[in-house]
Amino acid sequence: MIRACLIVLALLATTIMAQGTYAHGEAHQDHDDHVVEADGVRATHAWANATTGSTALVYVELENISESAVTLTGAETELAASAQLVGLENTGGELVYTVIPQMPIAAGSKMVLSPNGLAIRLEGLTAPLVHGEHFHIEIALGDVHLDTAVEIESATATQHSHAGHQH
Amino acid sequence: MTLGLTINALAVTAASGRMLLDVPKLHLAPGSCLGVRGPSGAGKSTFLFSLAGLIENASGAVTWGETNLLQMPAGARAAFRRRSVGMVFQDFLLFEELSASANAALSGAYSDPAHQKAIESKAEEVLTRLGISHGARTVDSFSGGERQRVAIARALASDPAVILADEPTASLDRKTADALIDDLLALVRDTGKTLVAVSHDPAVYTRMDRVIEIVDGRIATDEAAR
Amino acid sequence: MNPLGPLYRAIEWMPIAAQDAVVLLVLLLPALVVGGLVIFGYRPFSLVRAMLWRFRWTNLLFIGLIAVSVGIGVGLIAQERGLRQGTARAADPFDLIVAAPGSEITMLFAAVYLQPSDVPLLSGDTYQSIATAENVSLAAPIAFGDSYNAYPIVGSTPQFVTHMSPALVEGAMFRGHADAVIGSGVDLTIGATFTPAHGVGDAVEHDAHAQFKYTVVGRMQPTGSPWDRSIVVPVEAVWEVHGLANGHAPERADQLGPPFDPDYFPGTPAVLVSAEQLYANYALRAQFQTAETMAFFPGAVLASLHGLMGDVRQVMSVMAVITQVLVTTGVLVGLVILMRLFARRLALLRALGAPSRFVFSVVWSYAATLIFIGAVAGVGVGFLAAAIISRVVTAQTDILVNATLSWPEFHLVAGFISLTVLLALVPAFIALSRPVITDLRS
C-alpha cells in the first residue's frame, strides 16, 4: 500500500523534474548574469521562488575552486531584514529548517543549496518576490563576499530555469 | 380598538376565469358579529380569506376601518393581519409538539420583545378564562374542544380588532361546540371585537347579530339573526 | 494556490494557534452573518425544535448522512497528514544514507522502509573513506537481503542497534556472530533460534542457508517503523552466511563491528552515516555526492515527495468538500420534500400574519440546524475514522500512523458549514413561494 503510494509519487517527481529540464531550452540570455566569482569562490544560478509572504528561501550553487577551504557564514540583502543559512532537518517526524551558523566548503568542492536541503532563508521581506524579476544578495564566505543576482522563478519552481546548463 | 368593514365591488375569479365571489356592497358595523352560511363550495371560505387579504387575485375594495386591504402589498397585508386580525380554523392548526401556552403565544415569536410579553400574558389570560389550566402540556394530548380553545386563545393573544373563524365547531361534538361558541362570543363581545364566522352549524350562525347566506359566490340573503 | 494564503500572510504576526483560530472564525463568518441576518429580531427556535422533533427519525437520517460524509472526508485528509508524519518519523534515525549511485527513492524504500530491492554494493574502500571522514560519529553498514518468516534480516553493527534503540527492552546486544537482536514486533522469544532464508518475500529460497542458525539475544524498543519487524544481526554473519569474507582479517575473524578491514570487506548495499552537527551531515552529503557514491537525506527525499503530496492533499480537500456538498444538497432536496409536510404549518404562519422573513428564518434554521449538528457529529465520526484508518495503515505498512483531526480539518468543516448554510437558503426561498390558501386547505 505505502509502496504503491510512494511509487506513484516517485513517478510524479520524475515527470516534474523532466519538465524542469525541458524549460531551460526556452531562454538563452547572457550567461554572465548567472555566475559570479570572487577570490576562488564561484556562485552559480542563484534563485528563489516567487512569494508575497514575508519569508523566502534562496538557492545557489557554490563552488570552491581555490586551494583552501572556505566557510559559508551568511548572507545579506536589502530586500530582507535577515538572511541566514538553514538546513532541512528531520526532528522526530517534523521536517523543519534549522539555522546552520557556518558551513565549511572544502577546497575544490561544490556545495549546492537546493529545495529540501540547504538554503539561505530571508526573513522580513520588504517587498514581494515577483516571478521574472531579480534582486541582489551578498553571500559571505569568511572575508570573501559574493554579490550575486537572484532570479525569481515561479512560486512552484523546483530549480533555476537555467539549471543543468554548463557555464 | 374596534374596526368596521366596508366591501365595495369585491370580485374573485379563478385562473380559469370562473367567478368565485362577487360582493357588490357590504357594510359591517364595528363590534358586530356576522355569521356566513351557505352550501359547500359556494364561496364562504373565499369570502372569509378575502377579508383577511389572503386571496391574491381579488379586485374591488375590502376596507377595515380606513384600511383597504386590496390596495396593499402582501407584506403590508401580513402586517395588518398580525396587528388586527385573529384567525380560527376548522381543524385547529396547532403545533402539536408545542405546549398550549406556546401555541397560544405563537405570534410572540415574530413580534418585538416588548409586544411579546403582552402577547404571552394575554394568551395565558385567555387560556385561563377558557378553562385550559394545563398550558405547559403539549397539545398532542388535548381533546378537540381543548385544542380549539387553544386556537381561540392564539387568535385573541395579540388583542386584534377582528376575529375571522372558519367552521370553528365543525370538528367538535354538539355539546363541546355549543360551549365553545358561547365562550368565543362572550370573549368577542366583552371586548367589542368584530367577528365573522363561516359555519354550516345553525347553532353558530343563529347566535350572531347578522347572517348572510352565500350561494354561487353571491350573497343570497342578508338578515338579522333570528 | 491556497485560497487562504493571503489571509494567513495578513495575520502571520500572530501566534500559530491564534492564526488558526482566526482562520476558523473567518471561514465560519459567512454562516454566522447569514444566520444573524436571517434570524435577527425573531425567535424561530421553539418552532424549529418542534418541527425537528416531529420528524426526528428522518432528521436523524439526514444528520447521519451529513456526519458520515463529513467524517470520512476529514478522516481521510487527517490520514494523509498522519501518513506524512509517520513516514518522516520512521525515517528520523536515518540522517544520511550513502549507497551506490542509483535511485534515491529505491534506496529510501530499501534501507529505511525495508522494502526488498536488488541494489549494487559499496566497496570496502568506499566504506573506509566514509567511516574515516571528518565529523562522522556513526557509519553503519545496512546489509539487507535475507529474511526469516517474512521478517527482513539486516546485517549491521552494535552501534547501529544502539542508534535505533538506545536501550533494549529485553535481552542484550549481540556478542557472537550467530546472535540476533529483533524488532519490537517480531514474534520470537529471547533464546529462540532460526535459520535465515535467502531473499525476501516471494523470491525467498528457504534452504540456501540451511546450515546456519541465529539465536535471538535481545529486543529493540518500538520505533514505529518497519524496523519493528526486522531482525538485526552482525553484518559479519550476513557475509559469512553467503560464504564471503567477514569484514575482518583472518587473525581478527572473531571481531564484531568496526573497524572493518577494506581488504576483507565484501560490500554493503548502504551505509547509514550520522554526524553530531547538522552542518556536518550536509558537508558529508556534499562530500559523498560522487561518481562512485550517492548520498541523500531520507528526510529531504520525503520532503520532496510531501511537496507533491501537498497538491494531492489540496485535490483531496476539494474532493472531500465537493462530496460533502453533494450529500448535503441531497439532504436539502430531501428537506424541500419534507417541507411539503410542513407546508400547512408554514401556510398557517403566513395566514396569521407572520412576516415572510420569519417563515424564511424557520425553514433556514431547520436546515442549518441539521447541517450544523451533522457537521459537528461529522467531526466525531472523523476522529473515529482517522483512528480506524490509522490502525489499518499501521498494520499494513508497519509505519506507525497517528492520524488525528487538527486545524486543517476544522477549517474544512467550517468552510463546509458556511457553504451549505448558504445552500440552505434555497429551500427557504422555495418554501416562501408556496401558495398560502392552497397549502392551508390541503
Side-chain angles (χ1 to χ4, degrees), chain C residues 124-146:
Chain C
D125 288 333
T126 307
Y127 174 79
Q128 186 69 10
S129 67
I130 298 167
T132 56
E134 201 181 341
N135 291 321
V136 168
S137 58
L138 173 71
I142 302 176
F144 41 80
D146 286 350

Side-chain angles (χ1 to χ4, degrees), chain A:
Chain A
M1 185 170 167
I2 173 116
R3 191 180 166 86
C5 276
L6 289 173
I7 287 171
V8 168
L9 288 168
L11 285 172
L12 277 172
T14 320
T15 324
I16 284 177
M17 278 163 200
Q19 283 172 348
T21 31
Y22 175 74
H24 112 262
E26 300 168 7
H28 213 274
Q29 324 162 325
D30 188 1
H31 291 165
D32 294 341
D33 287 357
H34 308 307
V35 188
V36 178
E37 197 177 314
D39 294 323
V41 187
R42 185 186 285 164
T44 317
H45 289 155
W47 68 281
N49 290 112
T51 179
T52 53
S54 68
T55 64
L57 297 173
V58 174
Y59 309 108
V60 63
E61 293 168 25
L62 296 171
E63 200 174 353
N64 182 359
I65 48 177
S66 72
E67 301 290 313
S68 53
V70 294
T71 304
L72 175 55
T73 47
E76 234 179 280
T77 174
E78 285 181 355
L79 207 63
S82 76
Q84 286 176 302
L85 181 68
V86 291
L88 187 71
E89 192 178 18
N90 186 351
T91 52
E94 293 294 327
L95 299 170
V96 291
Y97 280 102
T98 306
V99 173
I100 297 178
Q102 48 184 16
M103 182 83 222
I105 307 173
S109 75
K110 222 176 169 181
M111 181 63 60
V112 179
L113 277 59
S114 62
N116 298 320
L118 293 170
I120 294 166
R121 181 168 64 195
L122 309 182
E123 287 181 307
L125 283 179
T126 52
L129 302 187
V130 180
H131 184 198
E133 296 184 352
H134 69 271
F135 62 95
H136 281 268
I137 191 167
E138 195 177 306
I139 302 171
L141 300 117
D143 296 334
V144 182
H145 287 249
L146 282 175
D147 189 332
T148 183
V150 179
E151 289 290 326
I152 302 171
E153 304 290 349
S154 75
T156 53
T158 54
Q159 57 183 347
H160 189 277
S161 56
H162 284 202
H165 217 86
Q166 297 301 312
H167 289 279

Side-chain angles (χ1 to χ4, degrees), chain B residues 72 74 92 113 194 198 205 211 213 225:
Chain B
M72 296 164 88
F92 329 130
T194 307
V198 166
Y205 59 77
V211 182
E213 183 184 17

